[in-house]
């Protein structure tokens, strides 16, 4: 996968303030505030920064946490990094193409691997399935 690299000024010009803070500075939007936390539309969720496909709607589920949750990412689309901020040890998830912060992954999901990818709505864009 080709890496996408832009200057801070280029990211600021492309993204709104919330998208910029979440994706480029690892902020978190408040629970139940993002546009996709309860969306059930079929389609593909893409990175808001570079449009890389990250998740498909068939893996989305209601975790009750207030953020879009998926039990699986598209293979190779997401990378993981240890996160020790806020006095916790968590696993941060980032877009493999542009290093945008997406959220965190937790070992309490329903899928075959038991994972829950907890994603900020501000970091993704839903491309509805056509037809």
């Amino acid at each position: 996968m080709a890496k996408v690299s832009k200057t801070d000024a280029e990211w600021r010009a492309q993204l709104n303030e919330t998208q910029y803070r979440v994706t480029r500075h690892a902020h978190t939007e408040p629970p139940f505030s993002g546009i996709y936390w309860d969306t059930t539309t079929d389609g593909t969720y893409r990175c808001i920064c570079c449009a890389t496909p990250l998740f498909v709607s068939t893996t989305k589920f209601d975790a009750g946490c207030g953020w879009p949750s998926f039990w699986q990412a598209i293979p190779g689309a997401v990378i993981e990094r240890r996160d020790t901020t806020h006095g916790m040890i968590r696993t941060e998830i980032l877009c493999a193409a542009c290093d945008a912060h997406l959220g965190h992954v937790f070992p309490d999901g329903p899928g075959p691997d038991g994972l829950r990818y907890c994603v900020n709505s501000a970091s993704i864009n839903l491309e509805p399935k056509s037809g």
Side-chain angles (χ1 to χ4, degrees), residues 42-125:
D42 286 339
T44 301
Y45 290 85
R46 294 177 172 273
C47 177
I48 198 71
C49 294
C50 70
T52 295
L54 302 170
F55 303 95
V56 293
S57 59
T58 55
T59 65
K60 190 173 188 285
F61 70 100
D62 182 2
C65 63
W67 292 278
S69 297
F70 304 86
W71 53 265
Q72 182 179 52
I74 292 173
V78 172
I79 56 175
E80 298 179 1
R81 180 168 62 194
R82 181 180 164 103
D83 177 4
T84 58
T85 61
H86 306 292
M88 298 178 264
I89 299 174
R90 301 177 289 174
T91 303
E92 179 184 15
I93 53 175
L94 304 107
C95 172
C98 71
D99 295 326
H101 171 79
L102 305 172
H104 293 87
V105 62
F106 301 97
D108 60 1
D113 296 326
L115 298 176
R116 173 175 55 99
Y117 291 84
C118 186
V119 179
N120 289 285
S121 288
S123 69
I124 53 178
N125 185 40

